Amino acid sequence: MKKIFALVVALVAAVSVNAQSAGNMFFKPMVGATLSKYTSVDETKMKVGLVAGGELGYFATNQLALTGGLLVSMQGSGYENTSVTKDYSTTATYINVPLLANFYVAPGFAIKAGIQPGFLISAKDKGKTNVAGSWQEFDHSGTDGMKTFDLAIPLGLSYEFSDFVIDARYNLGISKVFEVGDAKNAVIMLTLGYKVPF
């Protein structure tokens, strides 16, 4: 029994090493959720969104993989209830292009950092506003007053098991979201992906 267990462990280790050998490439479709808010804006709170897309990767060495991705990400911010508005949130959808260096510090475990340009494709404000003491719903779409380019620094960790990849990142916004003010994106992203070598 011990010999069989040792053989299985050796085979798994061999597959893992082969999958992370220098020169190998992979594609990773991924889907998950975002928690986002605007910084430097009073009374904001995290809101939940979705993210989906994929990344291409190349192992430059056995411990370093370079990846480039294309992700559709729902970001924006929630807002605390006030006497003027309640249940108010902004959903801004971006096409993000994360360019990352993935450092494998242990089998299957990577620390990642890089740069991420993003492109705003839509935005929507919705909630309720107080009009003469009566709460009325509003739902407005449009990107007026918003910058169409966003730059962020993604920092994260990932863990791989049987070609599945759990990835957690924090996207630190560098550029301003709006034409006026200092608001920037702050986004936590959690995804599940599947690595397909080729």
Side-chain angles (χ1 to χ4, degrees):
M1 186 68 176
K2 289 182 179 180
K3 290 182 179 180
I4 293 174
F5 179 73
L7 180 61
V8 169
V9 170
L11 287 173
V12 170
V15 170
S16 298
V17 169
N18 183 58
Q20 294 184 188
S21 296
N24 284 1
M25 298 183 68
F26 62 89
F27 172 66
K28 182 181 68 175
M30 52 200 292
V31 64
T34 58
L35 280 173
S36 63
K37 66 175 287 187
Y38 295 141
T39 63
S40 303
V41 178
D42 293 338
E43 300 173 335
T44 58
K45 62 180 182 180
M46 289 287 191
K47 70 175 292 294
V48 177
L50 299 174
V51 60
E55 293 182 337
L56 285 172
Y58 171 76
F59 278 95
T61 72
N62 290 355
Q63 285 76 41
L64 172 63
L66 305 175
T67 58
L70 192 67
L71 303 174
V72 178
S73 179
M74 294 171 63
Q75 300 174 189
S77 189
Y79 299 89
E80 299 289 349
N81 290 341
T82 69
S83 60
V84 179
T85 61
K86 68 177 182 179
D87 303 331
Y88 177 37
S89 67
T90 298
T91 300
T93 303
Y94 290 84
I95 294 179
N96 290 327
V97 185
L99 305 170
L100 300 171
N102 302 260
F103 302 95
Y104 285 82
V105 295
F109 184 75
I111 298 172
K112 54 190 66 190
I115 193 165
Q116 177 178 275
F119 306 91
L120 180 67
I121 56 175
S122 69
K124 175 184 285 190
D125 295 323
K126 65 183 302 183
K128 297 177 182 177
T129 186
N130 191 338
V131 179
S134 176
W135 290 104
Q136 297 183 13
E137 293 189 2
F138 66 89
D139 191 336
H140 172 262
S141 296
T143 59
D144 292 345
M146 300 184 71
K147 292 181 176 289
T148 57
F149 179 77
D150 182 69
L151 186 64
I153 295 177
L155 305 167
L157 304 169
S158 66
Y159 181 70
E160 303 173 17
F161 58 99
S162 302
D163 293 325
F164 287 96
V165 183
I166 296 175
D167 190 309
R169 298 179 196 174
Y170 177 70
N171 297 328
L172 174 65
I174 299 300
S175 57
K176 296 178 181 179
V177 176
F178 301 102
E179 298 290 346
V180 177
D182 296 320
K184 298 175 182 177
N185 282 307
V187 183
I188 297 170
M189 188 179 84
L190 181 64
T191 61
L192 177 64
Y194 187 78
K195 185 183 285 186
V196 182
F198 66 90

